[in-house]
Amino acid sequence: MNIARFDSLMTSLRTVSDNLAKTLPIKKISSFLEEIQLTKPNWPELRIGRLVASVPIVQGGMGVGISLSSLASAVAEAGGIGVIAANGIGLLEKDYFQDGQAAGLRAFRREIRTAREKTKGIIGVNIMVALNDFHQMLDVAIEEKVDIVFMGAGLPIKGLPVERMRENGVAIVPIVSSARATEMIFKMWGKIYKDIPDAVVFEGPLAGGHLGFTPEQLDDKAFQLQAIVPQIVEALIPFSAEYGRKIPVIAGGGVYSGKDIHDTLNLGAAGVQMATRFVATDECDADIKFKQAYVDCTKEQIGLIKSPVGMPGRAIRNDFIIDAEQGRRPAFKCAWKCLASCKAQDANYCISIALNNARKGLLRQGFVFVGANAYKIKSIVPVASLINELAEGYWLAAHEKVSVKLENLVARAEKLWNTYEGVDSVVKELGKAYVQALQAFPERLPKNPLPELRTQYNKAMSKARNLQFQIAEHVVGAWDLLHEGTSVPVSSSNN
């Protein structure tokens, strides 16, 4: 059952319930449904060290100004983990081309503080290890006491201020692409810091942006979430035992729906990372044209690019990309070498400038990174609405058998109600006939019709009342089924 069908069932159930409440002295039947719709399904909390997210979703860090304080705070406020991306953030500043590094550090600090002002939820940051100012960005994150630092695009092993991060309550989460990389990080941490990271993010090959895989591995089943997540979970078991703490695995890359979340958690993951879905939200920090590109793109338009940073990337292929591949891009100015591995001259463009142009809605002067499932997005919605949609999808996947029973219950309740309406019409007609007979007898009627009419009326009334109670049983049965997947307490006062 999909969400649209579920919504239709809820509407039908509400209609039957409201109609029934008009004919039986049953209190607040429709309020049952209101409570259900306002209550998020009981999906597991995501625990990372001392942090507890009621929604097991990490909003992926999207660089060059896509995930800033607005998006991160909205996700955190909704119960997930909001993430501000550090890379390319200096392009928000007017003086970026005068001093790119200083501009980046300033913008990064400002966005963290702005997010903190908007929510008390969990705020993390994503800092690429490959950044030339990685350590300076990390210092800002520590000084601002962010909740979590996610570290990708490189192995976060040497030269980390782990003790200072612990003193400031900053959780540490590396982003990996294999179980082997995970084991390497944890073993080296144990030797160097006598400590281990708080969690691990596995970013699979269906993600958007830069990918930690070769082009040949992207479609290989051996590198997908279904294969790698269980491997990482198993690889972490000895470290969890040695250090006496749980090490959650967060999996991302291609996670699109509530069902995807359910299936990913069943692999052993404790949470999911999602980025693509959060671009098409009101709170995303990008221009509306950037967001609309997600809504408008087709599956065929999504493809790979050769990035100046030396990694494959997934994006909406447009004229800018094609021109760059054919060497037709105009000259550009590099503010500073933000990535040591960058080969902008060979690629004929600066990827940070291109992505920043796209962020501002100048799509002909840049391009849009997207995940493999971006073409499924049909509209731009508030973050809270997206979370609710994912929650419903998770509930439906987790309670598939319940969903089938619910559909049957609603169908029977509707059928019974239609029957009841027919019987109720007969009751009303017999009632009118009985009143007319009372008024006419005995002056104008040769035979007393009252006993026969009374018998017919009582039979019809009994049948109608029986149908009402059958409908009520189906409505309450539906309520009980729905409660199997929610945290709403059943109150006898509503019976």
Side-chain angles (χ1 to χ4, degrees):
M1 186 194 304
N2 58 31
I3 291 174
R5 177 58 183 150
F6 180 74
D7 289 341
S8 176
L9 284 177
M10 294 293 283
T11 300
S12 299
L13 192 54
R14 179 186 293 278
T15 300
V16 172
S17 300
D18 288 344
N19 289 334
L20 187 61
K22 297 175 184 177
T23 63
L24 276 182
I26 299 178
K27 298 178 181 179
K28 298 182 180 178
I29 290 180
S30 62
S31 70
F32 291 165
L33 305 177
E34 292 173 3
E35 288 183 57
I36 293 167
Q37 290 181 323
L38 290 173
T39 303
K40 293 174 183 174
N42 191 23
W43 48 14
E45 297 174 329
L46 173 55
R47 293 178 175 270
I48 301 176
R50 64 178 176 80
L51 303 168
V52 181
S54 59
V55 174
I57 298 175
V58 174
Q59 163 250 309
M62 294 170 282
V64 197
I66 306 303
S67 58
L68 301 173
S69 56
S70 176
L71 177 58
S73 62
V75 174
E77 192 68 10
I81 297 178
V83 179
I84 297 168
N87 58 301
I89 200 169
L91 282 159
L92 301 174
E93 304 295 287
K94 293 180 179 180
D95 63 344
Y96 178 75
F97 285 94
Q98 282 71 53
D99 190 339
Q101 184 174 1
L105 296 173
R106 184 191 323 123
F108 191 43
R109 190 184 300 276
R110 181 188 65 241
E111 291 300 317
I112 293 171
R113 292 183 176 181
T114 302
R116 283 290 192 212
E117 292 171 357
K118 293 181 176 181
T119 182
K120 294 181 179 180
I122 302 173
I123 294 294
V125 297
N126 182 299
I127 308 175
M128 293 169 56
V129 178
L131 291 176
N132 271 333
D133 59 349
F134 167 76
H135 290 284
Q136 291 88 339
M137 286 288 189
L138 187 55
D139 285 340
V140 170
I142 296 169
E143 291 166 9
E144 296 299 325
K145 297 184 178 181
V146 300
D147 294 308
I148 310 178
V149 174
F150 296 92
M151 305 178 185
L155 296 177
I157 295 177
K158 296 181 180 180
L160 298 176
V162 173
E163 187 174 343
R164 193 152 59 91
M165 295 178 79
R166 295 303 187 199
E167 291 173 353
N168 284 273
V170 180
I172 311 160
V173 182
I175 301 173
V176 302
S177 58
S178 69
R180 182 183 177 185
T182 303
E183 287 181 313
M184 183 186 300
I185 292 170
F186 276 71
K187 286 180 179 178
M188 293 300 293
W189 268 58
K191 291 180 180 179
I192 299 172
Y193 307 112
K194 304 295 186 291
D195 199 347
I196 54 173
D198 298 283
V200 169
V201 170
F202 168 65
E203 200 168 274
L206 297 182
H210 292 118
L211 307 168
F213 303 87
T214 66
E216 294 74 26
Q217 292 171 336
L218 297 180
D219 295 321
D220 190 332
K221 290 183 179 180
F223 296 91
Q224 306 303 319
L225 268 65
Q226 293 80 358
I228 302 297
V229 170
Q231 293 176 17
I232 294 177
V233 171
E234 185 175 356
L236 289 172
I237 292 175
F239 298 102
S240 180
E242 181 180 353
Y243 289 87
R245 60 173 116 142
K246 290 185 178 180
I247 310 166
V249 176
I250 300 153
V255 179
Y256 179 87
S257 66
K259 184 180 185 303
D260 291 340
I261 296 174
H262 172 263
D263 294 346
T264 303
L265 298 190
N266 274 351
L267 296 173
V272 298
Q273 177 179 277
M274 302 178 72
T276 293
R277 290 302 307 270
F278 286 106
V279 171
T281 60
D282 294 339
E283 295 89 345
C284 176
D285 297 86
D287 185 86
I288 185 64
K289 293 178 183 177
F290 185 97
K291 303 176 190 181
Q292 193 63 38
Y294 276 60
V295 177
D296 296 339
C297 77
T298 64
K299 186 176 183 179
E300 293 70 28
Q301 290 174 321
I302 299 173
L304 299 180
I305 68 166
K306 292 181 179 180
S307 170
V309 304
M311 302 168 68
R314 180 172 283 109
I316 299 175
R317 290 184 57 83
N318 62 0
D319 290 341
F320 179 95
I321 292 172
I322 294 171
D323 287 346
E325 290 174 344
Q326 297 177 358
R328 295 199 299 262
R329 296 307 311 161
F332 61 91
K333 178 183 178 181
C334 178
W336 72 296
K337 194 160 186 174
C338 56
L339 285 169
S341 62
C342 182
K343 298 179 180 179
Q345 298 299 333
D346 294 342
N348 299 306
Y349 68 94
C350 168
I351 192 167
S352 293
I353 294 174
L355 293 174
N356 189 54
N357 285 336
R359 174 191 67 84
K360 295 188 292 185
L362 305 174
L363 300 182
R364 292 184 179 181
Q365 300 172 41
F367 61 89
V368 175
F369 272 146
V370 296
N373 289 317
Y375 68 93
K376 296 179 181 179
I377 295 175
K378 303 304 177 186
S379 61
I380 299 168
V381 299
V383 163
S385 296
L386 173 57
I387 295 293
N388 287 336
E389 176 196 323
L390 295 171
E392 287 183 2
Y394 178 90
W395 188 93
L396 290 171
H399 300 82
E400 187 174 355
K401 292 181 180 179
V402 171
S403 300
V404 174
K405 291 180 181 178
L406 176 63
E407 192 162 10
N408 291 333
L409 276 172
V410 174
R412 288 201 295 269
E414 287 184 305
K415 186 175 181 179
L416 286 169
W417 180 258
N418 291 334
T419 303
Y420 167 78
E421 287 186 313
V423 174
D424 188 52
S425 297
V426 173
V427 171
K428 290 176 180 177
E429 291 300 321
L430 287 171
K432 290 179 182 178
Y434 187 75
V435 171
Q436 291 173 355
L438 279 174
Q439 294 173 344
F441 185 79
E443 291 83 359
R444 295 188 294 276
L445 293 176
K447 182 181 177 181
N448 184 357
L450 294 178
E452 183 179 350
L453 283 171
R454 186 183 299 114
T455 298
Q456 293 177 9
Y457 178 83
N458 287 339
K459 286 183 178 179
M461 178 60 77
S462 178
K463 185 176 181 180
R465 182 65 57 157
N466 185 47
L467 285 167
Q468 287 175 321
F469 284 119
Q470 287 184 57
I471 296 167
E473 287 177 2
H474 284 76
V475 169
V476 174
W479 161 249
D480 290 339
L481 278 174
L482 289 163
H483 264 64
E484 289 184 21
T486 69
S487 57
V488 178
V490 179
S491 173
S492 59
S493 64
N494 285 338
N495 292 333

